[in-house]
Amino acid sequence: MDDKDFELMERYIYQVVRRLPKEQRDDVSMELRELIGDMAEEKESVREALVALGDPAEFAKKYAGESRYLIGPLYIDTYWNVLKIALTCTVIAIFSITLGQGIVERYDPGLVTDLGSIIGFVTYLFSTTLSNTMNSAIGIFGIVTIVFMIMEHYKVDLEEGKDKAWTVDDLPKKPSSEKDGVDERAIWTPERLAPVPGKKAMLPRGDSIADIVFSVIFGAILIFAPHILGVVWVIEDNVIGKGVMTIPIFNLDKWNLILPVFLISLLAGLTDAILRVIIGRYNLKVMVSSIVSGLIQIVCSVTLFKILPIWNPHFGNELRRFLDNEFGATEFANYFDPVWFSNVILTIIIIATMVEVGITAYRTLRYGLNEERSEDKVKA
Amino acid sequence: MGTDKAIIDSLRLELRRGTLVLSVLSRTDEPKYGYALVQSLLEKGVPIDPNTLYPLLRRLETQGLLISEWETSGPKPRKYYRRTELGTEIYKELRNEWNQMAGAMELLMKEES
């Protein structure tokens, strides 16, 4: 068996075992190496052996048994990963926001003196945060499960290989009258095997997960509690008592214009990050998704920071009025120039987005597309 | 007729499927590796596709009828399967079942012709 045959065999094995549960993969790989080796000796070529074994997807199905799945072995690992990330984000975001909101809205300095009202306050916090968190967690669980059920049902291929390698030539020949029983295996040929993705083509999962966590938490804050983004402090006043004051940095009067643009941008980034986690390697889909989401994010940012009145117009005045030059607030307010601030943020966003898209494009072109190149090698 | 052939093929497959476990159990009183099993069954006129046999062996192992062991001392690692005690017991049961069925079918078809 030469290198070419070995490569072909490894591709085949990879295509079978990637569809099997993790704990079976190593053992089945060894078993298949033994089998393909034996068959290749008898048939005198690895190619012939693989043709006789047929489409790896069909082979894998036999290993998996005839059982019907809601979410089968092909997706179950990804499903657990996505579910864990989505649930963690939701629980953390909803829990902290409801808790924060509850404290800000219901906190009253008077209640500290009375045990009954303390218990009432804590019970209120406990029940609202718990019920909100539970509700959102169940909702997210449902959404993720339904998405994966649909993927399982339609056997959505998360890897590039199949649909890319497919050409018109692969169309099954129409059975002619003499040869009615066209062997279905003829449609599948070993050349269509995609190579095992190289290390450098793998996407670091941690980065994408951090992206997802950030998007969800930031999104939740923007939706449920935009007023906490800004200057927050505790006041003690003889007339109005003790309380929490906030001066929002965003223009909440125009929030119904601003929020949707923010959300579109976050959603674009979130979709891209989820796709990265699911696919797990650089390829064309990831590159296109990265470019599209980058463009959407840049357009949204320009809209937000240059077109919409995003900043709270009274921010400076309120700072001066309420903070009375505590912590250098007045000086800060005097220096605070919204236009300059917008420009800085916008520049950072554009550069960061372009760097990210650039890295993805470079890695994809450099390592992610070697499928075609090594495919040629196998054919030659 | 293409459809007739397809029907016959699928019926033949179904008929054969039930006998596969019996065939495999009959050949595994001594340890055998997968492809040797394919060949020894073929010699006796029982062709079986490797892509059916290998998953089947695995299933029989999880059911406790076979036990496997990797033999790594040879030039390449081989996985040997042999019947367990439970496997032998079940093999005998199935063999009786088969003999009864074969007799009954024989009768049925003799009457018919």
Side-chain angles (χ1 to χ4, degrees), chain B residues 36-83:
Chain B
L37 210 50
V38 173
Q39 284 168 322
S40 90
L41 286 173
L42 185 66
E43 257 169 46
K44 304 278 181 223
V46 183
I48 178 170
D49 277 337
N51 62 13
T52 307
L53 180 70
Y54 276 65
L56 176 67
L57 289 172
R58 193 165 269 275
R59 210 184 71 213
L60 292 177
E61 190 180 8
T62 49
Q63 289 175 334
L65 306 191
L66 294 178
I67 189 163
S68 74
E69 209 175 335
W70 278 101
E71 174 66 61
T72 45
S73 56
K76 73 176 176 188
R78 286 190 184 286
K79 196 181 193 181
Y80 282 84
Y81 284 95
R82 74 179 162 75
R83 265 189 340 231

Side-chain angles (χ1 to χ4, degrees), chain A residues 250-319:
Chain A
F250 292 123
N251 186 352
L252 299 187
D253 294 336
K254 301 272 188 235
W255 200 234
N256 55 351
L257 280 179
I258 298 165
L259 181 63
V261 185
F262 255 128
L263 291 185
I264 291 170
S265 175
L266 282 177
L267 207 61
L270 191 65
T271 315
D272 181 51
I274 291 175
L275 194 81
R276 279 165 185 257
V277 170
I278 293 178
I279 293 183
R281 53 162 302 184
Y282 287 103
N283 66 14
L284 266 184
K285 271 182 207 158
V286 168
M287 186 173 87
V288 170
S289 148
S290 165
I291 294 172
V292 172
S293 105
L295 278 177
I296 294 176
Q297 282 171 308
I298 290 177
V299 170
C300 286
S301 308
V302 172
T303 316
L304 280 173
F305 292 105
K306 300 259 65 155
I307 300 170
L308 292 175
I310 184 171
W311 306 116
N312 177 4
H314 311 299
F315 186 69
N317 288 339
E318 284 180 4
L319 264 187

Side-chain angles (χ1 to χ4, degrees), chain A residues 85-86 89 207-217 269-270 273-274 277:
Chain A
I85 299 165
C89 293
D207 295 3
S208 316
I209 292 176
D211 273 358
I212 296 174
V213 174
F214 170 78
S215 305
V216 171
I217 293 176
L270 191 65
I274 291 175
V277 170

Side-chain angles (χ1 to χ4, degrees), chain A residues 27 31 34 38 42 53, chain B residues 35 51 58 70 78-79:
Chain A
D27 200 57
E31 200 172 285
E34 176 200 333
D38 286 339
E42 196 202 49
L53 286 176
Chain B
Y35 204 58
N51 62 13
R58 193 165 269 275
W70 278 101
R78 286 190 184 286
K79 196 181 193 181

